[in-house]
Amino acid sequence: MSLSASASRAAEILARPTTINGLTVRNRIAMAPMTRQFSPGGIPGADVASYYGRRAAADVGLIVTEGTYVDHASAGESDRVPRFHGEEQLAGWARVAEAVHAAGGAIVPQLWHVGMVRKAGAPPFPDAPAVGPSGIRLDGTEGTGKAMTRQDLDDVIAAFAGAAAAAERIGFDGVELHGAHGYLIDQFLWAGTNRRTDAYGGDLVARTKFAAEIVAAVREAVSPEFPVLFRFSQWKSDNYDARLAGTPEELEALLTPLAAAGVDAFHASTRRYWLPEFDGADLNLAGWTKKLTGKPTITVGSVGLDGDFVRAFAGEGAPVKGIDNLLDRMESDEFDMVAVGRALLHDPEWAAKVLRGRFDELKPYDAAALKTLS
């Protein structure tokens, strides 16, 4: 296909508005959440507002912020990752939302609890223990954390609900719950870390109970039209072969309780969006999720670049990759939106260039982009 034909298709397919519950997004391009650690004291400053606002001004339809810690002492492991609680922190986030809205974009915070990934003595609250479903780390060791009690579960559920209510109050357009990559919610979903024998452990459906209760509490804490997104993945941060679901039937069993609890859209995280999720069909994880739940979905994974994002954090760059395959899938309504990560990290104008057919101006990813916030 010629460059001009690809440009015309990109403009036609990606520029269409889409709706998630009560939110209409101006186009099909989202910014994927990427931890940046430029918020000392957990407070997003003017540089963070400018960082997101710049991408909204360059035609990103929906900003999903970097993960931001909920109000639970064990939620985080860095004092430079933003928090979604506290007067100064929320005031900073309100300015971020204002900057994005001024540029015509929509924005949702990604609400995050790291669970057993947390290291002993780590900030922002050094005395807080790591917590998880069974006190087991992703590598199967018990580590120095603890299995969550009923009170712990209630406290974390309340923290997510409180953060969602705060997001609506200060002007955000929805929330995304981080249920992917081996963090707390995902630790309950995955048999490798959830060995509980109570109602929150056991078979796949039982392992969704904690996540579904968080979704339900969030749904109750916000207006009915306020979008609730849920990000999930098969892979974990140190185990790329991990699977929550080995078949479409298992994936349906996993997603159905979450959809019933109030998820409005699923953000299906994969390392390479073009790979089929199960044998016998070309659908990727977002495609299967939409087919099985009927909910809008967002795909993600090395969009516009050749090489997955994990290598970027090891200092590797990545050349530009065409998006004809992505456009084919979107044209057939396999999924509803595409989240772009590293390509937008290095090139804030990526969306504008793609929507306007300026493919020859797209930049390869340079890992040096991780070192600055611009």
Side-chain angles (χ1 to χ4, degrees):
M1 181 175 292
S2 70
L3 190 62
S4 60
S6 291
S8 177
R9 287 187 74 214
E12 179 183 351
I13 294 167
L14 295 176
R16 297 172 297 160
T18 190
T19 300
I20 302 173
N21 195 347
L23 174 67
T24 297
V25 183
R26 61 183 172 179
N27 61 44
R28 302 302 178 106
I29 300 173
M31 181 176 182
M34 292 173 285
T35 298
R36 301 309 312 279
Q37 299 203 56
F38 283 92
S39 298
I43 303 166
D47 56 343
V48 176
S50 176
Y51 164 74
Y52 288 119
R54 184 179 179 189
R55 284 149 179 86
D59 293 337
V60 173
L62 176 66
I63 302 284
V64 183
T65 76
E66 61 206 288
T68 178
Y69 300 145
V70 297
D71 188 8
H72 186 261
S74 299
E77 56 176 348
S78 169
D79 198 39
R80 294 184 59 83
V81 167
R83 305 199 286 272
F84 216 85
H85 59 93
E87 185 175 347
E88 289 183 274
Q89 287 82 1
L90 292 177
W93 277 121
R95 289 187 287 270
V96 172
E98 183 179 358
V100 170
H101 290 154
I107 183 169
V108 301
Q110 187 188 69
L111 306 179
W112 189 20
H113 192 303
V114 303
M116 288 298 299
V117 171
R118 176 177 164 77
K119 298 177 177 61
F125 304 107
D127 293 337
V131 299
S134 305
I136 296 170
R137 296 195 179 278
L138 296 182
D139 62 3
T141 62
E142 293 190 10
T144 57
K146 70 164 191 168
M148 294 173 72
T149 65
R150 176 70 254 187
Q151 186 62 56
D152 293 328
L153 298 174
D154 290 344
D155 290 346
V156 170
I157 291 168
F160 275 95
E168 185 172 27
R169 185 175 67 250
I170 65 175
F172 278 78
D173 299 296
V175 293
E176 177 171 282
L177 309 179
H178 195 342
H181 306 161
Y183 296 111
L184 180 64
I185 295 175
D186 193 25
Q187 290 162 22
F188 273 83
L189 298 175
W190 190 39
T193 43
N194 186 345
R195 302 179 190 176
R196 297 177 74 99
T197 57
D198 63 3
Y200 294 89
D203 65 18
L204 182 56
V205 174
R207 296 197 304 273
T208 68
K209 181 175 174 60
F210 179 59
E213 288 186 355
I214 290 175
V215 173
V218 166
R219 182 78 276 159
E220 181 68 22
V222 298
S223 301
E225 68 278 5
F226 193 70
V228 177
L229 286 62
F230 189 92
R231 195 179 211 216
F232 76 103
S233 68
Q234 300 263 36
W235 65 276
K236 317 305 168 198
S237 57
D238 66 347
N239 187 339
Y240 305 136
D241 296 323
R243 308 278 285 176
L244 296 177
T247 64
E249 291 75 20
E250 289 180 350
L251 183 62
E252 185 174 21
L254 167 74
L255 298 174
T256 297
L258 303 178
V263 171
D264 295 304
F266 288 96
H267 188 173
S269 178
T270 55
R271 296 171 66 206
R272 301 174 179 89
Y273 77 86
W274 55 86
L275 296 180
E277 190 58 37
F278 303 112
D279 292 339
D282 290 334
L283 294 176
N284 71 5
L285 186 60
W288 274 109
T289 298
K290 182 175 182 177
K291 177 182 176 70
L292 295 170
T293 67
K295 298 287 186 179
T297 59
I298 304 171
T299 196
V300 69
S302 301
V303 176
L305 295 173
D306 191 4
D308 68 54
F309 81 93
V310 176
R311 295 177 182 173
F313 289 88
E316 295 186 24
V320 171
K321 181 181 176 72
I323 60 168
D324 286 331
N325 180 275
L326 174 73
L327 297 176
D328 290 343
R329 290 167 178 265
M330 294 203 76
E331 195 168 36
S332 67
D333 289 325
E334 182 176 338
F335 36 75
D336 299 274
M337 296 190 71
V338 55
V340 182
R342 288 167 300 143
L344 269 172
L345 192 65
H346 185 65
D347 187 357
E349 301 286 322
W350 188 91
K353 290 175 181 178
V354 167
L355 290 172
R356 288 164 175 75
R358 294 155 50 196
F359 285 90
D360 57 334
E361 298 179 29
L362 294 175
K363 301 176 182 178
Y365 174 75
D366 182 346
L370 286 171
K371 300 175 182 178
T372 60
L373 191 72
S374 61

